[in-house]
Amino acid sequence: MVPTLRIGAFVPAGVPITAPVTKFGGQPVWLSEPQWPVNDAWDEPMRFICQIELGAVLGDVGRGKLAYVFVTHAAHGDETFFDPDIAFPDEGANAVIVQPGGVYGGSTLPLATGPSLYHIEDGSDAEYTVRLQPDKDPDFRPQHDHGRPPPNDHDQYWEQISGAKIGGTPAFFQGDDWPDGGPWKLALQLSPNFQPFYLNLGAAPTAFAFVSPDARQGRLLVQDS
């Protein structure tokens, strides 16, 4: 079994969150010098999505460390812009940066603040903490071979691993899409549609953020149906 924290609710922040806790939107709480990732193809800073406490994902190795997740994303009022490369972990259109002590191979700027999540209705800043519920996922099970029936408990397995969560077993639905250069641990699984903030990652997407077991680096990928 794999420990996980299920996201039960997104809770609006009454004031800006400046503590190194798991949160969505607002501004990153940098633990080292700021490393705001840049999409070199567009020459623009990416949009900050969330920061994740890694102690819950990696245990002692992750204590005192955060993973910061960014994607290339439209500004409010320009929602027709969409960069399909956000789906891929190595195309320079998204980033997972780990601090302190992490490594990131893409371009960055020493910006402490930058583009972040917003509400679609009026473009106002979005910042949320999360209500988390401890749980356990079954161990990762490679998808069954084409032409063979799935195991009898496939539906139960899928129900157990689905949903928004921190850590746990990824609920891949388009092949076993682990990023290259692993091994990796799932840090975040999120279906961004119908959340209180606006995050356009595709038609019916799920985002998967991963970190290395040594808490040195991360990757983000998106599967979309």
Side-chain angles (χ1 to χ4, degrees):
M1 301 297 284
V2 183
T4 186
L5 294 172
R6 304 206 171 274
I7 299 177
F10 291 94
V11 182
V15 296
I17 298 167
T18 58
V21 298
T22 295
K23 67 164 185 169
F24 286 74
Q27 295 297 327
V29 180
W30 299 106
L31 299 180
S32 302
E33 291 299 313
Q35 297 172 273
W36 203 288
V38 175
N39 183 327
D40 288 332
W42 299 100
D43 194 29
E44 292 182 355
M46 298 182 199
R47 190 164 296 270
F48 174 64
I49 303 305
C50 64
Q51 63 186 36
I52 302 165
E53 291 183 86
L54 291 183
V57 177
L58 299 175
D60 289 342
V61 174
R63 298 195 195 286
K65 298 189 176 187
L66 292 174
Y68 308 86
V69 180
F70 298 81
V71 298
T72 300
H73 194 280
H76 182 256
D78 186 26
E79 282 77 24
T80 57
F81 171 82
F82 182 79
D83 187 340
D85 285 344
I86 60 172
F88 307 110
D90 296 305
E91 294 296 324
N94 63 49
V96 178
I97 290 178
V98 178
Q99 287 191 351
V103 294
Y104 175 67
S107 299
T108 63
L109 292 172
L111 301 175
T113 62
S116 186
L117 287 180
Y118 57 84
H119 299 109
I120 188 62
E121 297 82 7
D122 58 5
S124 59
D125 293 340
E127 186 169 14
Y128 292 83
T129 59
V130 285
R131 188 175 300 136
L132 299 171
Q133 179 179 352
D135 200 357
K136 288 189 176 180
D137 281 350
D139 293 333
F140 179 73
R141 179 188 298 175
Q143 295 193 26
H144 63 279
D145 294 334
H146 293 292
R148 294 185 180 181
N152 292 333
D153 63 346
H154 174 75
D155 289 345
Q156 180 183 6
Y157 170 80
W158 181 258
E159 182 178 351
Q160 287 176 303
I161 65 174
S162 297
K165 59 189 179 181
I166 306 296
T169 298
F172 292 135
F173 55 92
Q174 290 183 335
D176 297 335
D177 205 11
W178 295 96
D180 293 337
W184 300 103
K185 295 281 190 179
L186 181 70
L188 171 69
Q189 178 172 291
L190 178 71
S191 298
N193 292 358
F194 308 109
Q195 302 297 356
F197 45 79
Y198 180 71
L199 180 57
N200 180 15
L201 300 182
T206 298
F208 303 90
F210 298 93
V211 290
S212 58
D214 61 1
R216 292 273 289 164
Q217 57 182 318
R219 296 289 190 275
L220 178 74
L221 65 86
V222 179
Q223 291 190 337
D224 192 11
S225 60

